[in-house]
Each structure stands twice: as structure tokens, then as C-alpha cells.
Amino acid sequence: MSLWGGRFTGKVDPVMEQFNASMRFDQRMWEADIRGSQTYARALALSGVVSVDEGTWLVEGLEKVADEWRRGAFIVHHSDEDIHTANERRLTELVGSALGGRLHTGRSRNDQVATDARLFVRGECSRIGGLLKELISVCVNRALAEKHALMPGFTHLQNAQPIRWAHFLLGHAFAWQHHADKLQQLQANLNRLPLGSGALAGNPFNVDRTFMAKDLAFDKPIPNSLYAVGDRDFIADFLSWAALAMVHFSRISEDLIIYSSQQFAFVRLADAYSTGSSLMPQKKNPDSLELIRGKAGRVFGNHAAFMMTMKGLPSTYNKDLQEDKEPLFDSIDTLDGCIKILTGVLSTLEINETNMKKGLSFDMLATDIAEYLVRKKVPFRETHHIAGQAIKLAEDRKISVNKLTVNDFKSLHSAFDEDIANIWDFERSVETRNAYGGTSLSSVLVQIQELKQWLGEGNGVDSVAANNKRKLE
């Protein structure tokens, strides 16, 4: 018998029954549902709705149901409309209908599902945050190990300035750290309890909502029952967070796809994260990264779809809100897979320092030419123009800019001297970018140290990093 069937005499269309049911996807919230029900049973005992012994029997019965889920022994019945119906049905079978039927006293599936969803998302925030930290740790350790490798830096995918490979990695790692911090904020913001709000108007049995909040490790109860049962902003927030996180997973995927192409050959993906062609035997395709890039659109779609679901709803609970689960679960599963695959890719790829150095060209030192003149007291706006003239002169002569003579440079400005030859050193160029956040070795070591401290990995970098940080600040 359905939880809501007392008012109805006619049979429900079987198609409607399936259309209405959510058990096929919301059963993954079994643990959150049981945990919330155990807390509610304790609250019923405190308020005198059930005796202390009866409250204990309800909690123990629910623990037996949980054990069946853990062991894979729980049998779903055709009549189980959702996870709440299924767990209560099984509890009643274990403790008897007289006691099991009292668990739902004063409670609605409206405040029950809102509580379950918050418990579930809170737990997933912690789990996904852990996966992000593993990804960042791999990136940081790789940056430390390969801190001396130089590569071209790009803007507009055009040669820009030389940078360290480690600096490139850390650029992505800091973006992921930002997402991890935002995920913690999201987790904190959702940590308020809907349970005890009833269907919409509140609970008539004087249950202690503050006790329930503490028992479920929530900060406090939601103060308005109408808001409590209808709010799904925390799911919209999570889906928005997931979409933006996928943007950054997609961006490094795009970088590595480009860098692994034969035209660049800066990196080589491990066979474990590549596939071949059914026609062309020579192919080694970066399918792992292309799938991450492609799945970003899927997560964007989940967020957009749920926002469209919410935008026209009247206040409190509406059945439309059942549509929050599938996009939520799908985004969680997609994130889980993408983070794990990206962690594997970054753990196993090989870099080709020789090809990275071949990608460096002397025109990338045009800014260094301008800065050379700045150090000789020439205003930067003037030096920028002069450096551009030097590049143009080399292009016109079809030679590399480092092949221009001192006299060629003097023809552009009298401040040039023999020491212009010192400019043509990529390592020197990189080492001049030594302000906090730059690509010099000292700056990169500070970045690594900061991320290691954030990860709780202690002083994993030479103490020189700490000294450098003080100097840079």
C-alpha cells in the first residue's frame, strides 16, 4: 500500500505508477535516508510520541535495514515507490507494523527527502573534495620533480614568453584549489536541517529540531518550514560548481591534447589513457582527455536543465523537484570519473624536454628586449615600440632576431650596447620573472610550498622556498 493511498479508491495507471516512481535512481540515497530516520526516531522518543524502548527498537531495526543495503541483500519490491517507501516497508517487516508505522508520525516525505538530499550532497562534497586533493597533489609533486623543464608559454595559442613546465602545471593546480575551497563553502552553506518541517506547515508533535540538527551534524535547523521543504538551491549550487569545475578540467585536457600532438610533441600520454584507430595503425589518440572535454557539456546541461525545472515552481514542495536527483547523480558520477582519469593521465604522462626547448623561439624574448631598455631608463611605452621594430627588422631580413648585430640594434636606439647579447638566454628570461607568482624557479618553489601546506603535506620543499617567499613579499 502506498504511503499516500488512503484518499484514493481507483487503481493507478501502471504507466503512471512507473512515471511517478523514483526508486530506480534514488535508492543510492539509502544511507542518508536511514540516518535521517534514525535521528527522527530518537526525536520521537524524546518528545514522548514513542517510548524510549520503542525509539531504540526503531533505530536498531533501521540499522538492520542498513546492513542489508551494505551487504547487497536488500530486496527491492515492485511496490517500492522510492527509497523512503522501501526502507519504511522493510523496517515494518522487521519490527512489526504497529511500531514501524509510527516512525512517520509528523513527518512528510517533503522534509524527509530534503534532509536526505542535503545529507547526500554534503557527503559527496567531502568525497569529491578528497579526489580533488589527490589530483592537486599529483600535479604539485610532478611540478617539483620537473621544475627545471622550460617550455613555450602561449596567449591566443601564439608563442608568448618562455615559462617553466612546472609553472604551467601549477596554473591549473591553483584553479583546482580554488574549486576545492568553493566546494567546502558550498558544503558549509547547505549544512542546515529541513527535518521537522512536515509537509510545509511544521511538525505538530514538538520534536526537538535543534537536537536533530546536532544528531545529524547540521549547524542548525532551517527556521521556516515553507522554505525548508521547497529549497533546492544547494543542488543548483552544486551543479553550478560542477559545471565550472568541468570548465577547468576541459581546459587542461585541451592543453594536453594540443601538446601531445605530433606538431608539438611536448608530452606523451601513457597507453593506459590512449586508444588507437580501427583503420590507421600508427594512431595514438588522447581519448581520455577528449572524453573529459566532451563530458563538460553534459555537466553544463545538467545545471541548465535543473535551473529550468526550478524557475517556474510555486512555493514549497512540487513533484517537479524529483527531477533534481538524476542530474545531480549524473554530474557526481561524471565528475568522479573525470577527476580520476585526469589524475591517472597526469600521473603517467611523459614530457619531452627536448621538444619543449625546440618550441622556444627568440622572438619570444621581444619583451626582454623592451625590458633591457627599461633598465637603461628608457620609458616602457617607447621600448615596446622599439622591440617591435627589432622583430620587424629581423622578419624583413628573414633571420632570427638574435642574429641582428649590435649596430642593427643601435640603429633603433642609442641605449643598445654589446650586452644585448645577454638577452638571448631562455633560462635567464624565465629567472627574471621572480616576483611572487612568477615563473622563476624561486617563485615556482614558493607556489609548490603553498600548495603542499594547503594539502597538509608539510615542508615538502627545500627551505629555500620559504626564504624566497619572504623576499618576494
Side-chain angles (χ1 to χ4, degrees), residues 186-454:
L186 190 156
Q187 187 177 14
N189 290 338
L190 68 80
N191 206 36
R192 296 184 297 165
L193 179 73
L195 193 60
S197 297
L200 77 161
N203 188 292
F205 292 97
N206 198 33
V207 292
D208 188 340
R209 296 190 66 216
T210 300
F211 159 77
M212 290 193 292
K214 184 176 180 181
D215 199 51
L216 289 169
F218 282 94
D219 294 332
K220 60 183 179 180
I222 294 176
N224 181 282
S225 60
L226 298 173
Y227 170 60
V229 299
D231 175 57
R232 293 298 184 276
D233 285 4
F234 65 98
I235 290 180
D237 286 343
F238 179 86
L239 293 174
S240 174
W241 175 88
L244 191 53
M246 285 299 299
V247 167
H248 288 96
F249 299 148
S250 179
R251 291 188 73 179
I252 191 172
S253 296
E254 174 69 1
D255 284 339
L256 295 177
I257 289 167
I258 292 169
Y259 296 165
S260 66
S261 66
Q262 287 90 337
Q263 286 72 20
F264 282 76
F266 292 172
V267 302
R268 180 179 175 84
L269 268 61
D271 289 351
Y273 298 100
S274 308
T275 64
S277 165
S278 61
L279 177 65
M280 298 167 284
Q282 83 281 9
K283 294 294 295 295
K284 184 174 183 180
N285 299 326
D287 283 13
S288 55
L289 298 169
E290 290 173 356
L291 283 168
I292 292 172
R293 188 177 60 185
K295 287 179 183 295
R298 179 187 188 123
V299 176
F300 301 164
N302 286 337
H303 178 233
F306 185 57
M307 293 296 287
M308 291 302 99
T309 296
M310 287 206 304
K311 73 157 186 73
L313 297 184
S315 299
T316 74
Y317 184 79
N318 299 270
K319 192 68 171 184
D320 314 50
L321 291 177
Q322 182 169 290
E323 291 300 305
D324 63 354
K325 306 297 182 305
E326 289 181 283
L328 172 65
F329 298 156
D330 184 72
S331 290
I332 286 170
D333 292 343
T334 303
L335 274 167
D336 179 275
C338 289
I339 296 173
K340 288 176 179 175
I341 291 296
L342 189 52
T343 301
V345 168
L346 286 174
S347 298
T348 57
L349 66 77
E350 299 174 1
I351 67 169
N352 188 321
E353 290 190 56
T354 301
N355 285 343
M356 287 180 174
K357 287 179 180 177
K358 286 180 181 177
L360 299 171
S361 57
F362 288 106
D363 62 323
M364 298 175 72
L365 300 178
T367 306
D368 295 74
I369 298 172
E371 291 162 353
Y372 166 90
L373 291 173
V374 166
R375 291 185 175 93
K376 293 181 179 287
K377 309 305 182 185
V378 182
F380 177 76
R381 285 301 172 197
E382 187 179 343
T383 70
H384 183 279
H385 183 70
I386 294 166
Q389 288 180 320
I391 297 297
K392 179 68 166 57
L393 180 60
E395 287 178 349
D396 290 345
R397 294 184 182 177
K398 296 181 170 46
I399 59 174
S400 175
V401 68
N402 67 311
K403 299 299 183 182
L404 294 176
T405 68
V406 174
N407 288 334
D408 290 331
F409 280 105
K410 281 183 175 293
S411 70
L412 300 175
H413 197 284
S414 60
F416 283 111
D417 209 339
E418 297 289 341
D419 59 353
I420 186 63
N422 297 329
I423 291 292
W424 317 122
D425 183 336
F426 296 115
E427 183 74 30
R428 174 195 171 280
S429 175
V430 167
E431 283 304 287
T432 62
R433 318 292 164 188
N434 57 6
Y436 181 68
T439 193
S440 72
L441 181 58
S442 60
S443 299
V444 163
L445 287 173
V446 169
Q447 295 168 47
I448 292 171
Q449 180 73 358
E450 289 194 7
L451 283 172
K452 279 189 170 288
Q453 288 176 346
W454 178 81

Side-chain angles (χ1 to χ4, degrees), residues 118 146 439:
R118 284 176 184 261
E146 298 168 338
T439 193

Side-chain angles (χ1 to χ4, degrees), residues 172-191:
H172 288 288
F174 276 106
W176 302 332
Q177 180 204 30
H178 178 62
H179 285 302
D181 288 341
K182 286 175 64 178
L183 190 61
Q184 285 188 323
Q185 294 166 11
L186 190 156
Q187 187 177 14
N189 290 338
L190 68 80
N191 206 36

Side-chain angles (χ1 to χ4, degrees), residues 106-124:
R107 184 174 67 165
S108 166
R109 280 190 297 181
N110 294 358
D111 62 341
Q112 186 177 1
V113 70
T115 301
D116 292 359
R118 284 176 184 261
L119 284 169
F120 180 82
V121 173
R122 187 179 70 184
E124 288 302 302

